[in-house]
């Protein structure tokens, strides 16, 4: 009996030595997730961690995932992470990785400016995302008011793309790789307004509009900053790999998330992927959040987030 107990104890200790901790990443089928797929493929965090993706396709699902701690790391629209932080949720922003990825597309080639959208219905994907907020902002700067001068129709990510491709919309705000998907499948659509160019007109420089980044639950950042730092470093390497290997990245997206690999490959050069640590992007983000606060404080949760939003290890 004693020998049997020793055997079970030895087996237990052996299993625990080789125990693998599950790491979940909450992300949409959008540019920020691509480096994570590379990290999964290469065991970037080491053999003791296994990375998997939990897909979200609406801000409601993302918020529920954060509140329920269903993942440790999240791809955040920058407007949403500010709202969550300002509402008291314990989240930290690790990096900004996606810049200027949105476009207004239309079957109407006469659209040259936001004021040309008077009387139109615009189809939109993720509500409260930076493309959504900046659409209203740019329209407001052009003197147009929602429900009086234009309307917006929302749908989840998959429905949004399919609806537009089918020709049921004439005006839509899209992000990559959805823009490339739509323009490939329905050639009546063209990019009529680039959000990047609109941002540069607004700022009077050649800067890029920050759109999305990766964040982490604050308790993990506090308990295991080395893991969070490692994730951030490996994410930066994986993002560079995606840029240098678009065909392989497309195949990974198809293999792991069922995305159209050829479309992803084609879209990568337009995805605005560029890694900047959040602490290094703070000055840019302060300006970004201040612009949105002056437009409508609700878009960022009431105020420009303070330095405690930023992971700084």
């Amino acid at each position: 009996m004693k020998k049997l107990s020793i055997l079970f104890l030895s087996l237990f200790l052996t299993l625990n030595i080789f125990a693998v901790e599950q790491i979940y990443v909450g992300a949409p089928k959008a540019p920020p997730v691509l480096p994570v797929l590379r990290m999964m493929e290469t065991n970037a965090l080491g053999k003791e961690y296994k990375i998997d993706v939990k897909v979200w396709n609406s801000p409601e699902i993302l918020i529920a995932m954060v509140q329920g701690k269903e993942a440790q790391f999240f791809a955040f629209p920058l407007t949403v992470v500010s709202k969550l932080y300002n509402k008291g949720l314990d989240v930290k922003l690790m990096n900004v990785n996606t810049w200027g990825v949105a476009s207004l597309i239309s079957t109407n080639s006469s659209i040259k400016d936001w004021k040309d959208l008077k009387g139109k219905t615009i189809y939109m994907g993720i509500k409260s995302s930076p493309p959504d907020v900046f659409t209203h902002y740019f329209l407001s700067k052009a003197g147009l008011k929602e429900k009086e001068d234009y309307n917006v129709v929302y749908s989840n990510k998959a429905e949004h793309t399919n609806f537009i491709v089918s020709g049921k919309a004439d005006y839509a705000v899209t992000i990559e790789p959805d823009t490339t998907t739509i323009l490939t499948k329905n050639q009546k659509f063209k990019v009529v307004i680039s959000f990047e160019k609109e941002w540069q007109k607004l700022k009077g420089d050649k800067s890029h509009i920050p759109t999305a980044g990766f964040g982490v639950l604050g308790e993990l950042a506090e308990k295991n900053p080395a893991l969070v730092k490692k994730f951030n470093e490996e994410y930066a390497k994986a993002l560079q790999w995606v840029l240098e290997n678009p065909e392989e990245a497309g195949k990974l997206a198809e293999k792991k998330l069922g995305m159209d690999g050829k479309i992803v490959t084609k879209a990568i050069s337009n995805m605005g992927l560029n890694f900047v640590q959040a602490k290094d992007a703070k000055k840019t983000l302060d300006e970004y959040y201040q612009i949105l606060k002056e437009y409508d404080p609700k878009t960022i949760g009431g105020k420009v987030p303070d330095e405690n939003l930023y992971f700084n290890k």
Side-chain angles (χ1 to χ4, degrees), residues 99-224:
W99 306 73
V101 74
S103 304
L104 178 76
I105 64 173
S106 179
T107 57
N108 182 354
S109 59
S110 68
I111 301 294
K112 304 295 181 187
D113 193 86
W114 295 101
K115 65 180 182 294
D116 297 333
L117 292 165
K118 186 169 184 177
K120 312 300 185 188
T121 296
I122 304 163
Y123 287 80
M124 184 76 64
I126 298 174
K127 187 175 177 61
S128 301
S129 65
D132 177 33
V133 172
F134 272 95
T135 297
H136 293 290
Y137 176 78
F138 290 137
L139 285 163
S140 173
K141 294 291 263 186
L144 304 185
K145 294 182 179 179
E146 186 180 5
K147 295 181 181 175
E148 290 182 22
D149 299 308
Y150 68 93
N151 290 306
V152 174
V153 175
Y154 295 97
S155 56
N156 71 38
K157 198 170 184 301
E159 290 174 345
H160 183 58
T161 302
N162 292 336
F163 194 85
I164 300 164
V165 168
S166 69
K168 296 176 181 175
D170 290 314
Y171 308 91
V173 172
T174 57
I175 63 170
E176 292 291 358
D178 300 341
T179 305
T180 296
T181 298
I182 294 162
L183 269 56
T184 300
K185 294 184 176 181
N186 187 335
Q187 295 180 8
K188 291 181 180 179
F189 278 97
K190 304 294 179 190
V191 173
V192 291
I193 297 178
S194 161
F195 278 50
E196 187 83 329
K197 290 179 181 176
E198 293 300 304
W199 172 260
Q200 291 172 355
K201 283 184 201 173
L202 174 70
K203 294 290 286 357
D205 57 27
K206 293 294 183 182
S207 62
H208 303 287
I209 181 170
T211 303
F214 249 92
V216 61
L217 294 178
E219 63 183 53
L220 180 61
E222 183 69 28
K223 183 174 74 173
N224 196 345

Side-chain angles (χ1 to χ4, degrees), residues 9-306:
L9 178 60
S10 175
L11 180 61
F12 175 78
L13 291 173
T14 302
L15 289 172
N16 272 273
I17 288 171
F18 295 105
V20 176
E21 185 175 343
Q22 181 70 63
I23 298 292
Y24 285 111
V25 175
K29 293 182 180 182
V33 80
L34 297 181
V36 177
L37 304 183
R38 170 66 175 173
M39 291 170 68
M40 292 166 63
E41 194 79 352
T42 60
N43 293 320
L45 297 182
K47 293 180 180 178
E48 63 269 37
Y49 296 102
K50 182 178 185 297
I51 305 171
D52 203 359
V53 173
K54 288 189 174 183
V55 174
W56 59 262
N57 57 21
S58 73
E60 292 77 19
I61 294 173
L62 169 59
I63 291 165
M65 287 174 71
V66 175
Q67 291 174 328
K69 300 178 182 179
E70 295 175 31
Q72 292 86 15
F73 297 91
F74 297 89
F76 282 120
L78 294 175
T79 45
V80 174
V81 73
S82 176
K83 277 185 172 182
L84 293 175
Y85 176 78
N86 281 330
K87 287 181 178 179
L89 273 76
D90 189 14
V91 290
K92 298 283 186 184
L93 185 65
M94 299 155 49
N95 64 59
V96 179
N97 53 58
T98 308
W99 306 73
V101 74
S103 304
L104 178 76
I105 64 173
S106 179
T107 57
N108 182 354
S109 59
S110 68
I111 301 294
K112 304 295 181 187
D113 193 86
W114 295 101
K115 65 180 182 294
D116 297 333
L117 292 165
K118 186 169 184 177
K120 312 300 185 188
T121 296
I122 304 163
Y123 287 80
M124 184 76 64
I126 298 174
K127 187 175 177 61
S128 301
S129 65
D132 177 33
V133 172
F134 272 95
T135 297
H136 293 290
Y137 176 78
F138 290 137
L139 285 163
S140 173
K141 294 291 263 186
L144 304 185
K145 294 182 179 179
E146 186 180 5
K147 295 181 181 175
E148 290 182 22
D149 299 308
Y150 68 93
N151 290 306
V152 174
V153 175
Y154 295 97
S155 56
N156 71 38
K157 198 170 184 301
E159 290 174 345
H160 183 58
T161 302
N162 292 336
F163 194 85
I164 300 164
V165 168
S166 69
K168 296 176 181 175
D170 290 314
Y171 308 91
V173 172
T174 57
I175 63 170
E176 292 291 358
D178 300 341
T179 305
T180 296
T181 298
I182 294 162
L183 269 56
T184 300
K185 294 184 176 181
N186 187 335
Q187 295 180 8
K188 291 181 180 179
F189 278 97
K190 304 294 179 190
V191 173
V192 291
I193 297 178
S194 161
F195 278 50
E196 187 83 329
K197 290 179 181 176
E198 293 300 304
W199 172 260
Q200 291 172 355
K201 283 184 201 173
L202 174 70
K203 294 290 286 357
D205 57 27
K206 293 294 183 182
S207 62
H208 303 287
I209 181 170
T211 303
F214 249 92
V216 61
L217 294 178
E219 63 183 53
L220 180 61
E222 183 69 28
K223 183 174 74 173
N224 196 345
L227 172 62
V228 178
K229 184 179 179 183
K230 175 74 170 173
F231 186 102
N232 217 20
E233 291 170 348
E234 293 299 326
Y235 185 91
K237 293 176 191 175
L239 185 147
Q240 190 60 38
W241 178 87
V242 168
L243 292 173
E244 293 171 359
N245 301 274
E247 189 171 343
E248 290 86 344
K251 289 176 181 176
L252 262 185
E254 187 160 330
K255 172 185 170 184
K256 293 190 176 294
L257 291 180
M259 299 171 73
D260 186 322
K262 291 180 180 178
I263 291 291
V264 171
T265 294
K266 188 176 178 181
I268 282 172
S269 62
N270 296 322
M271 284 183 178
L273 288 170
N274 179 40
F275 178 92
V276 180
Q277 290 203 52
K279 62 183 180 180
D280 297 329
K282 184 179 182 302
K283 182 176 182 295
T284 298
L285 292 178
D286 282 348
E287 294 175 357
Y288 168 86
Y289 286 133
Q290 185 61 38
I291 288 169
L292 293 181
K293 178 177 176 287
E294 289 171 3
Y295 164 61
D296 182 356
K298 294 194 294 294
T299 62
I300 60 168
K303 60 183 179 180
V304 175
D306 61 33

